[in-house]
Structure formats: C-alpha cells, structure tokens
PDB file of all heavy atoms in Angstrom:
ATOM      1  N   LEU A   1      12.822 -13.151  28.475  1.00  0.00           N
ATOM      2  CA  LEU A   1      11.761 -12.918  27.484  1.00  0.00           C
ATOM      3  C   LEU A   1      11.079 -11.573  27.741  1.00  0.00           C
ATOM      4  O   LEU A   1      10.783 -10.825  26.803  1.00  0.00           O
ATOM      5  CB  LEU A   1      10.735 -14.045  27.533  1.00  0.00           C
ATOM      6  CG  LEU A   1      11.235 -15.432  27.131  1.00  0.00           C
ATOM      7  CD1 LEU A   1      10.134 -16.471  27.336  1.00  0.00           C
ATOM      8  CD2 LEU A   1      11.711 -15.451  25.682  1.00  0.00           C
ATOM      9  N   TYR A   2      10.831 -11.271  29.010  1.00  0.00           N
ATOM     10  CA  TYR A   2      10.229  -9.985  29.362  1.00  0.00           C
ATOM     11  C   TYR A   2      11.129  -8.823  28.923  1.00  0.00           C
ATOM     12  O   TYR A   2      10.648  -7.809  28.406  1.00  0.00           O
ATOM     13  CB  TYR A   2      10.013  -9.888  30.872  1.00  0.00           C
ATOM     14  CG  TYR A   2       8.886 -10.717  31.429  1.00  0.00           C
ATOM     15  CD1 TYR A   2       8.645 -10.747  32.797  1.00  0.00           C
ATOM     16  CD2 TYR A   2       8.055 -11.477  30.603  1.00  0.00           C
ATOM     17  CE1 TYR A   2       7.609 -11.492  33.334  1.00  0.00           C
ATOM     18  CE2 TYR A   2       7.027 -12.231  31.134  1.00  0.00           C
ATOM     19  CZ  TYR A   2       6.797 -12.235  32.505  1.00  0.00           C
ATOM     20  OH  TYR A   2       5.774 -12.980  33.030  1.00  0.00           O
ATOM     21  N   THR A   3      12.422  -8.979  29.163  1.00  0.00           N
ATOM     22  CA  THR A   3      13.360  -7.915  28.787  1.00  0.00           C
ATOM     23  C   THR A   3      13.360  -7.685  27.292  1.00  0.00           C
ATOM     24  O   THR A   3      13.352  -6.537  26.829  1.00  0.00           O
ATOM     25  CB  THR A   3      14.786  -8.261  29.272  1.00  0.00           C
ATOM     26  OG1 THR A   3      14.779  -8.381  30.702  1.00  0.00           O
ATOM     27  CG2 THR A   3      15.777  -7.182  28.856  1.00  0.00           C
ATOM     28  N   LEU A   4      13.368  -8.768  26.522  1.00  0.00           N
ATOM     29  CA  LEU A   4      13.335  -8.628  25.070  1.00  0.00           C
ATOM     30  C   LEU A   4      12.048  -7.947  24.624  1.00  0.00           C
ATOM     31  O   LEU A   4      12.071  -7.043  23.769  1.00  0.00           O
ATOM     32  CB  LEU A   4      13.470  -9.999  24.409  1.00  0.00           C
ATOM     33  CG  LEU A   4      13.360 -10.028  22.883  1.00  0.00           C
ATOM     34  CD1 LEU A   4      14.407  -9.125  22.229  1.00  0.00           C
ATOM     35  CD2 LEU A   4      13.480 -11.459  22.353  1.00  0.00           C
ATOM     36  N   ALA A   5      10.914  -8.345  25.207  1.00  0.00           N
ATOM     37  CA  ALA A   5       9.633  -7.737  24.841  1.00  0.00           C
ATOM     38  C   ALA A   5       9.621  -6.244  25.169  1.00  0.00           C
ATOM     39  O   ALA A   5       9.189  -5.418  24.357  1.00  0.00           O
ATOM     40  CB  ALA A   5       8.491  -8.447  25.556  1.00  0.00           C
ATOM     41  N   LEU A   6      10.108  -5.882  26.357  1.00  0.00           N
ATOM     42  CA  LEU A   6      10.119  -4.473  26.741  1.00  0.00           C
ATOM     43  C   LEU A   6      11.118  -3.681  25.901  1.00  0.00           C
ATOM     44  O   LEU A   6      10.851  -2.527  25.540  1.00  0.00           O
ATOM     45  CB  LEU A   6      10.450  -4.341  28.231  1.00  0.00           C
ATOM     46  CG  LEU A   6      10.434  -2.923  28.807  1.00  0.00           C
ATOM     47  CD1 LEU A   6       9.095  -2.245  28.568  1.00  0.00           C
ATOM     48  CD2 LEU A   6      10.767  -2.944  30.301  1.00  0.00           C
ATOM     49  N   HIS A   7      12.244  -4.283  25.595  1.00  0.00           N
ATOM     50  CA  HIS A   7      13.245  -3.643  24.728  1.00  0.00           C
ATOM     51  C   HIS A   7      12.624  -3.275  23.375  1.00  0.00           C
ATOM     52  O   HIS A   7      12.797  -2.147  22.892  1.00  0.00           O
ATOM     53  CB  HIS A   7      14.420  -4.600  24.546  1.00  0.00           C
ATOM     54  CG  HIS A   7      15.362  -4.236  23.434  1.00  0.00           C
ATOM     55  ND1 HIS A   7      16.166  -3.119  23.473  1.00  0.00           N
ATOM     56  CD2 HIS A   7      15.608  -4.857  22.245  1.00  0.00           C
ATOM     57  CE1 HIS A   7      16.883  -3.062  22.360  1.00  0.00           C
ATOM     58  NE2 HIS A   7      16.557  -4.093  21.599  1.00  0.00           N
ATOM     59  N   ARG A   8      11.881  -4.184  22.791  1.00  0.00           N
ATOM     60  CA  ARG A   8      11.246  -3.901  21.498  1.00  0.00           C
ATOM     61  C   ARG A   8      10.146  -2.845  21.652  1.00  0.00           C
ATOM     62  O   ARG A   8      10.000  -1.966  20.794  1.00  0.00           O
ATOM     63  CB  ARG A   8      10.674  -5.193  20.917  1.00  0.00           C
ATOM     64  CG  ARG A   8      11.750  -6.176  20.449  1.00  0.00           C
ATOM     65  CD  ARG A   8      11.125  -7.384  19.781  1.00  0.00           C
ATOM     66  NE  ARG A   8      12.128  -8.252  19.179  1.00  0.00           N
ATOM     67  CZ  ARG A   8      11.837  -9.349  18.480  1.00  0.00           C
ATOM     68  NH1 ARG A   8      10.563  -9.694  18.311  1.00  0.00           N
ATOM     69  NH2 ARG A   8      12.805 -10.089  17.966  1.00  0.00           N
ATOM     70  N   TYR A   9       9.397  -2.935  22.742  1.00  0.00           N
ATOM     71  CA  TYR A   9       8.322  -1.968  22.995  1.00  0.00           C
ATOM     72  C   TYR A   9       8.889  -0.558  23.132  1.00  0.00           C
ATOM     73  O   TYR A   9       8.389   0.393  22.523  1.00  0.00           O
ATOM     74  CB  TYR A   9       7.581  -2.389  24.259  1.00  0.00           C
ATOM     75  CG  TYR A   9       6.467  -1.466  24.692  1.00  0.00           C
ATOM     76  CD1 TYR A   9       5.203  -1.541  24.113  1.00  0.00           C
ATOM     77  CD2 TYR A   9       6.672  -0.523  25.699  1.00  0.00           C
ATOM     78  CE1 TYR A   9       4.174  -0.701  24.523  1.00  0.00           C
ATOM     79  CE2 TYR A   9       5.647   0.319  26.111  1.00  0.00           C
ATOM     80  CZ  TYR A   9       4.400   0.225  25.514  1.00  0.00           C
ATOM     81  OH  TYR A   9       3.391   1.059  25.918  1.00  0.00           O
ATOM     82  N   LEU A  10       9.929  -0.419  23.932  1.00  0.00           N
ATOM     83  CA  LEU A  10      10.526   0.901  24.141  1.00  0.00           C
ATOM     84  C   LEU A  10      11.143   1.442  22.854  1.00  0.00           C
ATOM     85  O   LEU A  10      11.139   2.654  22.616  1.00  0.00           O
ATOM     86  CB  LEU A  10      11.596   0.823  25.237  1.00  0.00           C
ATOM     87  CG  LEU A  10      11.095   0.507  26.652  1.00  0.00           C
ATOM     88  CD1 LEU A  10      12.269   0.342  27.607  1.00  0.00           C
ATOM     89  CD2 LEU A  10      10.145   1.581  27.150  1.00  0.00           C
ATOM     90  N   GLY A  11      11.673   0.532  22.028  1.00  0.00           N
ATOM     91  CA  GLY A  11      12.238   0.961  20.758  1.00  0.00           C
ATOM     92  C   GLY A  11      11.221   1.637  19.862  1.00  0.00           C
ATOM     93  O   GLY A  11      11.569   2.498  19.050  1.00  0.00           O
ATOM     94  N   HIS A  12       9.943   1.262  20.021  1.00  0.00           N
ATOM     95  CA  HIS A  12       8.870   1.870  19.228  1.00  0.00           C
ATOM     96  C   HIS A  12       8.286   3.112  19.897  1.00  0.00           C
ATOM     97  O   HIS A  12       7.679   3.948  19.229  1.00  0.00           O
ATOM     98  CB  HIS A  12       7.743   0.867  18.998  1.00  0.00           C
ATOM     99  CG  HIS A  12       8.105  -0.253  18.066  1.00  0.00           C
ATOM    100  ND1 HIS A  12       8.339  -0.067  16.713  1.00  0.00           N
ATOM    101  CD2 HIS A  12       8.284  -1.570  18.291  1.00  0.00           C
ATOM    102  CE1 HIS A  12       8.633  -1.221  16.152  1.00  0.00           C
ATOM    103  NE2 HIS A  12       8.607  -2.146  17.087  1.00  0.00           N
ATOM    104  N   ARG A  13       8.451   3.235  21.220  1.00  0.00           N
ATOM    105  CA  ARG A  13       7.744   4.267  21.961  1.00  0.00           C
ATOM    106  C   ARG A  13       8.624   5.414  22.460  1.00  0.00           C
ATOM    107  O   ARG A  13       8.117   6.492  22.749  1.00  0.00           O
ATOM    108  CB  ARG A  13       7.031   3.640  23.172  1.00  0.00           C
ATOM    109  CG  ARG A  13       5.911   2.656  22.802  1.00  0.00           C
ATOM    110  CD  ARG A  13       4.817   3.325  21.994  1.00  0.00           C
ATOM    111  NE  ARG A  13       3.688   2.451  21.757  1.00  0.00           N
ATOM    112  CZ  ARG A  13       2.585   2.441  22.489  1.00  0.00           C
ATOM    113  NH1 ARG A  13       2.467   3.264  23.507  1.00  0.00           N
ATOM    114  NH2 ARG A  13       1.601   1.617  22.203  1.00  0.00           N
ATOM    115  N   VAL A  14       9.924   5.189  22.618  1.00  0.00           N
ATOM    116  CA  VAL A  14      10.801   6.201  23.206  1.00  0.00           C
ATOM    117  C   VAL A  14      11.695   6.803  22.126  1.00  0.00           C
ATOM    118  O   VAL A  14      12.407   6.073  21.419  1.00  0.00           O
ATOM    119  CB  VAL A  14      11.672   5.597  24.332  1.00  0.00           C
ATOM    120  CG1 VAL A  14      12.637   6.636  24.892  1.00  0.00           C
ATOM    121  CG2 VAL A  14      10.787   5.035  25.434  1.00  0.00           C
ATOM    122  N   ALA A  15      11.665   8.113  21.992  1.00  0.00           N
ATOM    123  CA  ALA A  15      12.503   8.783  20.999  1.00  0.00           C
ATOM    124  C   ALA A  15      13.976   8.577  21.339  1.00  0.00           C
ATOM    125  O   ALA A  15      14.375   8.680  22.497  1.00  0.00           O
ATOM    126  CB  ALA A  15      12.171  10.273  20.969  1.00  0.00           C
ATOM    127  N   ASP A  16      14.768   8.266  20.321  1.00  0.00           N
ATOM    128  CA  ASP A  16      16.208   8.053  20.499  1.00  0.00           C
ATOM    129  C   ASP A  16      16.500   6.969  21.527  1.00  0.00           C
ATOM    130  O   ASP A  16      17.445   7.073  22.318  1.00  0.00           O
ATOM    131  CB  ASP A  16      16.913   9.361  20.911  1.00  0.00           C
ATOM    132  CG  ASP A  16      16.720  10.475  19.893  1.00  0.00           C
ATOM    133  OD1 ASP A  16      16.761  10.173  18.690  1.00  0.00           O
ATOM    134  OD2 ASP A  16      16.508  11.628  20.311  1.00  0.00           O
ATOM    135  N   TYR A  17      15.674   5.930  21.533  1.00  0.00           N
ATOM    136  CA  TYR A  17      15.843   4.858  22.516  1.00  0.00           C
ATOM    137  C   TYR A  17      17.201   4.192  22.395  1.00  0.00           C
ATOM    138  O   TYR A  17      17.684   3.899  21.306  1.00  0.00           O
ATOM    139  CB  TYR A  17      14.744   3.806  22.353  1.00  0.00           C
ATOM    140  CG  TYR A  17      14.994   2.542  23.143  1.00  0.00           C
ATOM    141  CD1 TYR A  17      14.869   2.537  24.531  1.00  0.00           C
ATOM    142  CD2 TYR A  17      15.381   1.369  22.503  1.00  0.00           C
ATOM    143  CE1 TYR A  17      15.111   1.392  25.266  1.00  0.00           C
ATOM    144  CE2 TYR A  17      15.620   0.214  23.227  1.00  0.00           C
ATOM    145  CZ  TYR A  17      15.484   0.226  24.614  1.00  0.00           C
ATOM    146  OH  TYR A  17      15.743  -0.914  25.329  1.00  0.00           O
ATOM    147  N   ASP A  18      17.813   3.958  23.562  1.00  0.00           N
ATOM    148  CA  ASP A  18      19.080   3.253  23.635  1.00  0.00           C
ATOM    149  C   ASP A  18      19.045   2.353  24.868  1.00  0.00           C
ATOM    150  O   ASP A  18      18.764   2.829  25.973  1.00  0.00           O
ATOM    151  CB  ASP A  18      20.253   4.235  23.748  1.00  0.00           C
ATOM    152  CG  ASP A  18      21.587   3.531  23.911  1.00  0.00           C
ATOM    153  OD1 ASP A  18      22.095   2.995  22.917  1.00  0.00           O
ATOM    154  OD2 ASP A  18      22.105   3.526  25.050  1.00  0.00           O
ATOM    155  N   TYR A  19      19.288   1.065  24.694  1.00  0.00           N
ATOM    156  CA  TYR A  19      19.168   0.112  25.799  1.00  0.00           C
ATOM    157  C   TYR A  19      20.021   0.520  26.990  1.00  0.00           C
ATOM    158  O   TYR A  19      19.553   0.534  28.134  1.00  0.00           O
ATOM    159  CB  TYR A  19      19.558  -1.289  25.323  1.00  0.00           C
ATOM    160  CG  TYR A  19      19.441  -2.355  26.400  1.00  0.00           C
ATOM    161  CD1 TYR A  19      18.242  -3.034  26.613  1.00  0.00           C
ATOM    162  CD2 TYR A  19      20.536  -2.687  27.199  1.00  0.00           C
ATOM    163  CE1 TYR A  19      18.127  -4.005  27.603  1.00  0.00           C
ATOM    164  CE2 TYR A  19      20.432  -3.652  28.197  1.00  0.00           C
ATOM    165  CZ  TYR A  19      19.231  -4.310  28.384  1.00  0.00           C
ATOM    166  OH  TYR A  19      19.126  -5.267  29.374  1.00  0.00           O
ATOM    167  N   GLU A  20      21.272   0.855  26.740  1.00  0.00           N
ATOM    168  CA  GLU A  20      22.186   1.188  27.831  1.00  0.00           C
ATOM    169  C   GLU A  20      21.707   2.423  28.605  1.00  0.00           C
ATOM    170  O   GLU A  20      21.895   2.516  29.815  1.00  0.00           O
ATOM    171  CB  GLU A  20      23.598   1.432  27.290  1.00  0.00           C
ATOM    172  CG  GLU A  20      24.257   0.209  26.672  1.00  0.00           C
ATOM    173  CD  GLU A  20      24.712  -0.792  27.714  1.00  0.00           C
ATOM    174  OE1 GLU A  20      24.303  -0.685  28.897  1.00  0.00           O
ATOM    175  OE2 GLU A  20      25.476  -1.707  27.360  1.00  0.00           O
ATOM    176  N   ARG A  21      21.093   3.343  27.899  1.00  0.00           N
ATOM    177  CA  ARG A  21      20.682   4.599  28.517  1.00  0.00           C
ATOM    178  C   ARG A  21      19.311   4.512  29.181  1.00  0.00           C
ATOM    179  O   ARG A  21      19.069   5.138  30.210  1.00  0.00           O
ATOM    180  CB  ARG A  21      20.660   5.692  27.442  1.00  0.00           C
ATOM    181  CG  ARG A  21      21.080   7.063  27.924  1.00  0.00           C
ATOM    182  CD  ARG A  21      21.612   7.950  26.800  1.00  0.00           C
ATOM    183  NE  ARG A  21      21.124   7.645  25.479  1.00  0.00           N
ATOM    184  CZ  ARG A  21      20.087   8.255  24.891  1.00  0.00           C
ATOM    185  NH1 ARG A  21      19.420   9.181  25.535  1.00  0.00           N
ATOM    186  NH2 ARG A  21      19.743   7.941  23.659  1.00  0.00           N
ATOM    187  N   HIS A  22      18.416   3.707  28.604  1.00  0.00           N
ATOM    188  CA  HIS A  22      17.026   3.745  29.020  1.00  0.00           C
ATOM    189  C   HIS A  22      16.554   2.535  29.820  1.00  0.00           C
ATOM    190  O   HIS A  22      15.551   2.636  30.537  1.00  0.00           O
ATOM    191  CB  HIS A  22      16.103   3.906  27.803  1.00  0.00           C
ATOM    192  CG  HIS A  22      16.214   5.235  27.127  1.00  0.00           C
ATOM    193  ND1 HIS A  22      16.860   5.422  25.933  1.00  0.00           N
ATOM    194  CD2 HIS A  22      15.759   6.460  27.504  1.00  0.00           C
ATOM    195  CE1 HIS A  22      16.796   6.694  25.583  1.00  0.00           C
ATOM    196  NE2 HIS A  22      16.140   7.341  26.517  1.00  0.00           N
ATOM    197  N   PHE A  23      17.223   1.397  29.698  1.00  0.00           N
ATOM    198  CA  PHE A  23      16.736   0.211  30.393  1.00  0.00           C
ATOM    199  C   PHE A  23      17.441   0.065  31.737  1.00  0.00           C
ATOM    200  O   PHE A  23      18.656  -0.076  31.807  1.00  0.00           O
ATOM    201  CB  PHE A  23      16.938  -1.056  29.558  1.00  0.00           C
ATOM    202  CG  PHE A  23      16.267  -2.269  30.161  1.00  0.00           C
ATOM    203  CD1 PHE A  23      14.904  -2.452  30.012  1.00  0.00           C
ATOM    204  CD2 PHE A  23      16.992  -3.203  30.887  1.00  0.00           C
ATOM    205  CE1 PHE A  23      14.264  -3.553  30.577  1.00  0.00           C
ATOM    206  CE2 PHE A  23      16.372  -4.306  31.452  1.00  0.00           C
ATOM    207  CZ  PHE A  23      15.001  -4.487  31.298  1.00  0.00           C
ATOM    208  N   GLY A  24      16.641   0.090  32.824  1.00  0.00           N
ATOM    209  CA  GLY A  24      17.220   0.064  34.166  1.00  0.00           C
ATOM    210  C   GLY A  24      17.443  -1.317  34.731  1.00  0.00           C
ATOM    211  O   GLY A  24      18.342  -1.518  35.548  1.00  0.00           O
ATOM    212  N   GLY A  25      16.627  -2.297  34.332  1.00  0.00           N
ATOM    213  CA  GLY A  25      16.810  -3.649  34.825  1.00  0.00           C
ATOM    214  C   GLY A  25      15.511  -4.318  35.245  1.00  0.00           C
ATOM    215  O   GLY A  25      14.410  -3.827  34.976  1.00  0.00           O
ATOM    216  N   VAL A  26      15.675  -5.444  35.950  1.00  0.00           N
ATOM    217  CA  VAL A  26      14.575  -6.331  36.307  1.00  0.00           C
ATOM    218  C   VAL A  26      14.524  -6.494  37.820  1.00  0.00           C
ATOM    219  O   VAL A  26      15.545  -6.777  38.456  1.00  0.00           O
ATOM    220  CB  VAL A  26      14.786  -7.720  35.657  1.00  0.00           C
ATOM    221  CG1 VAL A  26      13.725  -8.700  36.123  1.00  0.00           C
ATOM    222  CG2 VAL A  26      14.812  -7.610  34.139  1.00  0.00           C
ATOM    223  N   PHE A  27      13.345  -6.328  38.403  1.00  0.00           N
ATOM    224  CA  PHE A  27      13.129  -6.608  39.821  1.00  0.00           C
ATOM    225  C   PHE A  27      12.159  -7.776  39.966  1.00  0.00           C
ATOM    226  O   PHE A  27      11.102  -7.781  39.337  1.00  0.00           O
ATOM    227  CB  PHE A  27      12.534  -5.397  40.548  1.00  0.00           C
ATOM    228  CG  PHE A  27      13.483  -4.259  40.753  1.00  0.00           C
ATOM    229  CD1 PHE A  27      13.367  -3.093  39.999  1.00  0.00           C
ATOM    230  CD2 PHE A  27      14.496  -4.339  41.700  1.00  0.00           C
ATOM    231  CE1 PHE A  27      14.237  -2.033  40.199  1.00  0.00           C
ATOM    232  CE2 PHE A  27      15.371  -3.278  41.899  1.00  0.00           C
ATOM    233  CZ  PHE A  27      15.245  -2.124  41.144  1.00  0.00           C
ATOM    234  N   TYR A  28      12.539  -8.744  40.793  1.00  0.00           N
ATOM    235  CA  TYR A  28      11.614  -9.804  41.203  1.00  0.00           C
ATOM    236  C   TYR A  28      11.413  -9.644  42.707  1.00  0.00           C
ATOM    237  O   TYR A  28      12.373  -9.734  43.479  1.00  0.00           O
ATOM    238  CB  TYR A  28      12.179 -11.187  40.876  1.00  0.00           C
ATOM    239  CG  TYR A  28      11.797 -11.670  39.489  1.00  0.00           C
ATOM    240  CD1 TYR A  28      12.021 -10.881  38.365  1.00  0.00           C
ATOM    241  CD2 TYR A  28      11.192 -12.902  39.305  1.00  0.00           C
ATOM    242  CE1 TYR A  28      11.659 -11.307  37.108  1.00  0.00           C
ATOM    243  CE2 TYR A  28      10.823 -13.349  38.039  1.00  0.00           C
ATOM    244  CZ  TYR A  28      11.058 -12.537  36.943  1.00  0.00           C
ATOM    245  OH  TYR A  28      10.687 -12.961  35.695  1.00  0.00           O
ATOM    246  N   LEU A  29      10.176  -9.397  43.116  1.00  0.00           N
ATOM    247  CA  LEU A  29       9.874  -9.203  44.529  1.00  0.00           C
ATOM    248  C   LEU A  29       9.323 -10.499  45.125  1.00  0.00           C
ATOM    249  O   LEU A  29       8.216 -10.932  44.779  1.00  0.00           O
ATOM    250  CB  LEU A  29       8.848  -8.074  44.713  1.00  0.00           C
ATOM    251  CG  LEU A  29       9.218  -6.698  44.150  1.00  0.00           C
ATOM    252  CD1 LEU A  29       8.201  -5.663  44.621  1.00  0.00           C
ATOM    253  CD2 LEU A  29      10.626  -6.293  44.523  1.00  0.00           C
ATOM    254  N   PHE A  30      10.109 -11.126  45.985  1.00  0.00           N
ATOM    255  CA  PHE A  30       9.641 -12.281  46.737  1.00  0.00           C
ATOM    256  C   PHE A  30       8.923 -11.722  47.973  1.00  0.00           C
ATOM    257  O   PHE A  30       9.528 -11.434  49.000  1.00  0.00           O
ATOM    258  CB  PHE A  30      10.816 -13.176  47.115  1.00  0.00           C
ATOM    259  CG  PHE A  30      11.364 -13.970  45.962  1.00  0.00           C
ATOM    260  CD1 PHE A  30      12.145 -13.365  44.993  1.00  0.00           C
ATOM    261  CD2 PHE A  30      11.074 -15.332  45.835  1.00  0.00           C
ATOM    262  CE1 PHE A  30      12.645 -14.089  43.917  1.00  0.00           C
ATOM    263  CE2 PHE A  30      11.570 -16.070  44.764  1.00  0.00           C
ATOM    264  CZ  PHE A  30      12.354 -15.445  43.803  1.00  0.00           C
ATOM    265  N   LEU A  31       7.604 -11.564  47.839  1.00  0.00           N
ATOM    266  CA  LEU A  31       6.819 -10.782  48.776  1.00  0.00           C
ATOM    267  C   LEU A  31       6.925 -11.289  50.215  1.00  0.00           C
ATOM    268  O   LEU A  31       6.945 -10.500  51.160  1.00  0.00           O
ATOM    269  CB  LEU A  31       5.353 -10.772  48.337  1.00  0.00           C
ATOM    270  CG  LEU A  31       5.070 -10.149  46.958  1.00  0.00           C
ATOM    271  CD1 LEU A  31       3.613 -10.378  46.571  1.00  0.00           C
ATOM    272  CD2 LEU A  31       5.388  -8.658  46.957  1.00  0.00           C
ATOM    273  N   ARG A  32       7.032 -12.597  50.390  1.00  0.00           N
ATOM    274  CA  ARG A  32       7.073 -13.151  51.754  1.00  0.00           C
ATOM    275  C   ARG A  32       8.360 -12.786  52.481  1.00  0.00           C
ATOM    276  O   ARG A  32       8.425 -12.884  53.711  1.00  0.00           O
ATOM    277  CB  ARG A  32       6.918 -14.670  51.699  1.00  0.00           C
ATOM    278  CG  ARG A  32       5.590 -15.147  51.130  1.00  0.00           C
ATOM    279  CD  ARG A  32       5.535 -16.666  51.069  1.00  0.00           C
ATOM    280  NE  ARG A  32       4.389 -17.138  50.320  1.00  0.00           N
ATOM    281  CZ  ARG A  32       3.195 -17.431  50.858  1.00  0.00           C
ATOM    282  NH1 ARG A  32       3.009 -17.259  52.153  1.00  0.00           N
ATOM    283  NH2 ARG A  32       2.210 -17.869  50.106  1.00  0.00           N
ATOM    284  N   GLY A  33       9.383 -12.384  51.756  1.00  0.00           N
ATOM    285  CA  GLY A  33      10.656 -12.062  52.382  1.00  0.00           C
ATOM    286  C   GLY A  33      10.876 -10.585  52.628  1.00  0.00           C
ATOM    287  O   GLY A  33      11.903 -10.197  53.184  1.00  0.00           O
ATOM    288  N   MET A  34       9.943  -9.747  52.226  1.00  0.00           N
ATOM    289  CA  MET A  34      10.120  -8.299  52.352  1.00  0.00           C
ATOM    290  C   MET A  34       9.601  -7.830  53.707  1.00  0.00           C
ATOM    291  O   MET A  34       8.471  -7.377  53.843  1.00  0.00           O
ATOM    292  CB  MET A  34       9.408  -7.580  51.206  1.00  0.00           C
ATOM    293  CG  MET A  34       9.968  -7.947  49.834  1.00  0.00           C
ATOM    294  SD  MET A  34       9.106  -7.136  48.458  1.00  0.00           S
ATOM    295  CE  MET A  34       9.609  -5.431  48.689  1.00  0.00           C
TER     296      MET A  34
END
C-alpha cells in the first residue's frame, strides 16, 4: 500500500517519472537487530 501511494505521489511530483527508473524500493528496519 505504501509503494502504491508513493508511486502515485511521485507521478505527480517528478518530471518524466518512471517506476523502473525512479523507485528504489522498500526498507524495513528491525531496530533491535541492527
């Protein structure tokens, strides 16, 4: 859901937005394990 929301947001904010080119991915930090 977060990815879809950010994908739509970037589509409105980034010139010539392309998912493959501009979206790097998702990080989940399990803080106790770092």
Side-chain angles (χ1 to χ4, degrees):
L1 295 175
Y2 287 177
T3 299
L4 176 58
L6 183 56
H7 166 68
R8 290 185 173 183
Y9 178 82
L10 294 175
H12 290 292
R13 295 300 186 97
V14 177
D16 301 320
Y17 169 72
D18 176 75
Y19 181 88
E20 295 286 14
R21 215 156 26 95
H22 292 105
F23 188 79
V26 175
F27 288 107
Y28 271 52
L29 302 189
F30 286 75
L31 299 172
R32 297 178 190 268
M34 298 178 69

